[in-house]
Amino acid sequence: MKIEKIELRHIKMELVSPFTTSMGTEYDEEHIIVSVDAEGITGWGECVAEGTPFYSYETVTTAWHILQDFLIPAILGKDLTSIDQAIQLYSKVRGHRMAKAGLEAALWDVFAKSKNISLSKMIGGARETIDVGVSIGIQPTEEELIKKIEGYLAEGYKRIKIKIAPGNDIQFVKAVRKEFPEILFQVDANSSYELKHIDLFKQMDDYNLLLIEQPLGYDDNYQHSKLQKQLKTPICLDESIHSLDDTRAAIELDSCRVINIKPGRVGGFTESKLIHDYCETKNIPVWCGGMLESGIGRAGNVALASLPNFKLPGDISASKRYYKADIVEPEFVVNKDGTMNVPTKPGIGVEINMKMLDIVTVRNKEFKL
Ligand code: OSB
Ligand code: MG
């Protein structure tokens, strides 16, 4: 496939409700939409670097720089026979995995469309629907949290995740378990605790949590291994897993017993698949995390989550849980049974709503030979 044109769009989309985590409150989400034109086909990808370096060191600005000055020049004008070839061409660039993943996603869409198959099929997906969950930000009171959860359960969501941070933790866990003794329920600390808080996590061990996500340092494996050995509840790593190498280390150290795969965080679907396959051989379940993506990134996550070792519901929610209007058609919806359909049309399997995309684009740049 001859790469003829690449376009970057910095988008900014207002969230339907503010999202509060240990990292702060987000009111809108900034990402980069990447489109690649090759031989009459346009492929779409989303780079999930955010406006701030609070979840990851990457931001929209650093990702734009890396895409514009290194990744795009490495592949523009090339006649690519595979995605691995593209990865090879920009392999000198260290890190910046979100920037790479945005471009790689657009290439996956191009190649899948050129073969006339869905992204799910091209990645190796094995299901027509995936189980989905919802990630709920820190709420002002237990009552408000319970009300939100009731609403999401009524919509069908199969699993509830709540954000926790020091001072906003065990009281919410207790309240949720009292009200909903049976639901699949997990917490995400986004690296806001230290090993000295171990007694809190031992208390949480009594509430039948599916997992505790990234309690300690955002780049840590070692302290998590000390914590995991003293807990029954599985630890799930998110922030500290950037690659297959990190995954191997985490599993061998027993730092976690579940892995959250976000294609953006690990550099794309290719690395996601390697992590998925490795975890399968180690009997470590994985699930697909989210970065409040638009429908473009969501389509990729849904396709990825159709792989067989995605054993737990993902942070993959309906478009309307995030945004008043999505930039794809049809929007993503949750079925009454808490599943989401995996698109079957070629590539990402959804159309781009160009009018909406133009509305949310704050700057764009085209790269041509
Ligand atoms: O830690 O999983 C996280 C959103 C932005 C950054 C980090 C995280 C999240 C979420 C939301 O939890 C997941 C989603 O529904 O997209
Ligand atoms: Mg997380």
Side-chain angles (χ1 to χ4, degrees):
M1 302 297 292
K2 175 133 190 195
I3 307 302
E4 288 145 3
K5 188 179 103 181
I6 299 177
E7 183 175 9
L8 300 181
R9 288 171 177 257
H10 174 175
I11 60 163
K12 186 168 180 169
M13 292 172 74
E14 194 189 335
L15 292 163
V16 288
S17 55
F19 189 60
T20 300
T21 70
S22 62
M23 306 171 288
T25 300
E26 289 184 83
Y27 298 88
D28 42 44
E29 195 64 19
E30 293 179 64
H31 285 165
I32 300 170
I33 300 300
V34 183
S35 60
V36 171
D37 283 14
E39 300 173 17
I41 294 171
T42 304
W44 295 87
E46 181 164 345
C47 166
V48 298
E50 302 185 293
T52 54
F54 303 155
Y55 168 79
S56 155
Y57 70 86
E58 292 187 81
T59 65
V60 166
T61 305
T62 70
W64 190 282
H65 160 52
I66 296 298
L67 281 157
Q68 163 177 280
D69 296 325
F70 299 100
L71 306 180
I72 292 173
I75 67 162
L76 189 62
K78 296 280 187 331
D79 192 2
L80 300 178
T81 54
S82 69
I83 291 163
D84 284 345
Q85 189 191 352
I87 294 171
Q88 191 55 40
L89 285 167
Y90 56 66
S91 62
K92 280 210 303 204
V93 177
R94 292 183 178 174
H96 297 282
R97 292 173 188 270
M98 291 178 174
K100 291 173 180 169
L103 182 58
E104 203 211 76
L107 292 171
W108 276 89
D109 190 29
V110 165
F111 275 87
K113 283 171 174 163
S114 78
K115 294 176 164 55
N116 209 27
I117 58 173
S118 69
L119 183 58
S120 162
K121 194 156 180 203
M122 185 154 147
I123 294 183
R127 334 185 158 94
E128 287 166 17
T129 62
I130 56 162
D131 290 346
V132 294
V134 62
S135 171
I136 306 176
I138 295 169
Q139 301 299 310
T141 64
E142 286 100 295
E143 292 71 34
E144 278 164 271
L145 175 60
I146 299 295
K147 258 174 90 182
K148 280 228 158 188
I149 294 177
E150 269 168 1
Y152 287 127
L153 292 174
E155 287 181 50
Y157 287 101
K158 288 209 171 169
R159 182 226 69 194
I160 299 295
K161 155 171 148 182
I162 65 167
K163 294 290 187 176
I164 56 167
N168 287 296
D169 41 45
I170 193 73
Q171 74 274 33
F172 287 102
V173 169
K174 283 183 180 167
V176 173
R177 262 298 172 236
K178 186 157 174 240
E179 196 70 27
F180 310 104
E182 304 289 342
I183 60 169
L184 298 183
F185 177 41
Q186 65 193 50
V187 296
D188 186 359
N190 287 112
S191 299
S192 53
Y193 296 87
E194 295 172 48
L195 208 46
K196 68 180 185 203
H197 298 109
I198 187 155
D199 288 344
L200 173 79
F201 294 107
K202 285 189 171 163
Q203 259 181 287
M204 289 200 186
D205 246 353
D206 295 336
Y207 292 91
N208 189 25
L209 299 176
L210 214 46
L211 56 88
I212 298 169
E213 190 176 339
Q214 198 74 32
L216 309 180
Y218 63 85
D219 249 347
D220 171 76
N221 264 339
Y222 180 59
Q223 311 262 356
H224 281 103
S225 82
K226 291 191 170 180
L227 181 61
Q228 177 67 89
K229 286 173 181 61
Q230 299 186 61
L231 297 179
K232 287 184 294 189
T233 310
I235 290 176
C236 169
L237 292 178
D238 171 355
E239 281 90 330
S240 39
I241 302 292
H242 307 100
S243 62
L244 176 59
D245 283 343
D246 288 345
T247 306
R248 278 200 199 101
I251 293 173
E252 285 191 19
L253 280 166
D254 191 25
S255 308
C256 67
R257 294 174 187 161
V258 177
I259 299 268
N260 163 329
I261 300 182
K262 293 180 183 173
R265 199 191 61 232
V266 305
F269 299 131
T270 304
E271 193 76 13
S272 299
K273 223 176 121 56
L274 294 174
I275 295 171
H276 164 274
D277 294 351
Y278 175 78
C279 287
E280 194 163 37
T281 67
K282 296 288 171 186
N283 277 317
I284 297 287
V286 305
W287 57 282
C288 186
M291 291 294 294
L292 311 172
E293 288 90 345
S294 79
I296 294 176
R298 191 163 314 287
N301 291 351
V302 171
L304 183 66
S306 70
L307 288 170
N309 193 40
F310 280 81
K311 295 262 168 68
L312 300 171
D315 277 349
I316 302 178
S317 309
S319 297
K320 68 165 191 189
R321 174 258 174 270
Y322 305 95
Y323 304 107
K324 211 148 107 192
D326 206 338
I327 57 177
V328 300
E329 289 170 324
E331 297 199 343
F332 284 92
V333 296
V334 174
N335 302 322
K336 287 212 167 57
D337 67 351
T339 63
M340 192 177 274
N341 300 340
V342 179
T344 54
K345 292 190 179 141
I348 60 171
V350 286
E351 298 296 321
I352 310 304
N353 179 336
M354 291 305 296
K355 206 176 126 207
M356 273 306 302
L357 179 58
D358 283 341
I359 290 172
V360 301
T361 298
V362 294
R363 66 172 158 149
N364 74 311
K365 191 162 178 181
E366 275 186 20
F367 303 85
K368 280 195 263 201
L369 276 185

